[in-house]
Amino acid sequence: MESVLTQLPALLGVLVGTIGTMVATTVTERARWRRSQNVRWDERRLDAYADFTRAVKEIHLVSLGMLSGHRPGSRTPILDREDGLARLAEADVRHTLTWEAVLLLGDATTVRAASTWRHAVRNLEQAARSLPAPPDNLAAMVGQADEARDDFYQAARDGLGVRGGTVEQFRRPVEGRIPTARH
């Protein structure tokens, strides 16, 4: 009995060490699994956003091509109406499919921004489809689509944790700011 009592502290030490090792291993493995899941979903979210961006941008560009003759100073080559309508139909299918992935994987802020961009481009598409009578506010519609695109890019980057500078391509006027002369 005395030998068991002298070995009891050593046995308790081994038991505590084993339990500690098991707990540490479990915690480490769970953390590793969570990180790998986050990376996996971020990769899928990035793919969904990139596919959606390409589809919406295609509709945007085709619409601008169709509207080019009605936009003073446009550098976009004029696109024939029939060819444009066919390309819009194809792009709309891609857009619809990619939108579902954004809805499934996107965070609320990014989905709202994507929806706003989508509707702004849809307005341009409707204007292109309504030719030969373009709307009076075509320049404002293009500006809204560009601004909505910038907002989507920023929301997507924020949601994915992408750091870096501004993504703005559309220059928002700042009230009260006087443009400086460039030399």
Side-chain angles (χ1 to χ4, degrees):
M1 182 74 155
E2 190 176 309
S3 68
V4 171
L5 288 177
T6 58
Q7 293 178 1
L8 190 58
L11 288 173
L12 287 175
V14 169
L15 183 62
V16 168
T18 301
I19 291 171
T21 300
M22 289 172 57
V23 168
T25 301
T26 300
V27 168
T28 301
E29 286 302 314
R30 280 187 181 174
R32 184 177 298 141
W33 183 82
R34 281 189 193 117
R35 276 192 305 274
S36 73
Q37 289 300 306
N38 286 340
V39 167
R40 177 178 165 212
W41 288 114
D42 281 350
E43 287 173 353
R44 288 188 178 194
R45 211 175 344 268
L46 175 62
D47 290 343
Y49 294 165
D51 291 344
F52 174 75
T53 298
R54 280 189 289 276
V56 173
K57 194 65 177 176
E58 181 179 5
I59 293 169
H60 186 140
L61 291 173
V62 170
S63 298
L64 289 181
M66 291 173 68
L67 294 164
S68 188
H70 302 278
R71 294 177 51 230
S74 174
R75 294 181 303 221
T76 306
I78 295 175
L79 182 60
D80 173 68
R81 185 174 196 283
E82 294 307 313
D83 183 34
L85 290 173
R87 289 175 60 184
L88 283 175
E90 293 170 7
D92 193 49
V93 170
R94 283 188 290 283
H95 162 259
T96 300
L97 296 174
T98 61
W99 174 241
E100 296 302 319
V102 170
L103 287 174
L104 180 64
L105 298 170
D107 60 82
T109 303
T110 304
V111 170
R112 269 192 303 279
S115 179
T116 301
W117 184 29
R118 179 177 182 245
H119 289 295
V121 170
R122 182 74 71 201
N123 290 338
L124 285 174
E125 178 185 2
Q126 292 305 319
R129 289 179 182 278
S130 70
L131 288 174
D136 294 334
N137 61 344
L138 188 55
M141 290 171 66
V142 172
Q144 288 171 345
D146 290 345
E147 186 174 351
R149 177 199 53 226
D150 291 350
D151 291 343
F152 168 73
Y153 285 172
Q154 190 59 55
R157 288 169 55 110
D158 290 347
L160 292 168
V162 175
R163 291 182 286 275
T166 182
V167 296
E168 277 190 13
Q169 296 175 34
F170 176 72
R171 303 291 181 241
R172 293 172 177 87
V174 178
E175 289 188 35
R177 190 169 96 187
I178 300 170
T180 57
R182 294 186 185 221
H183 296 30

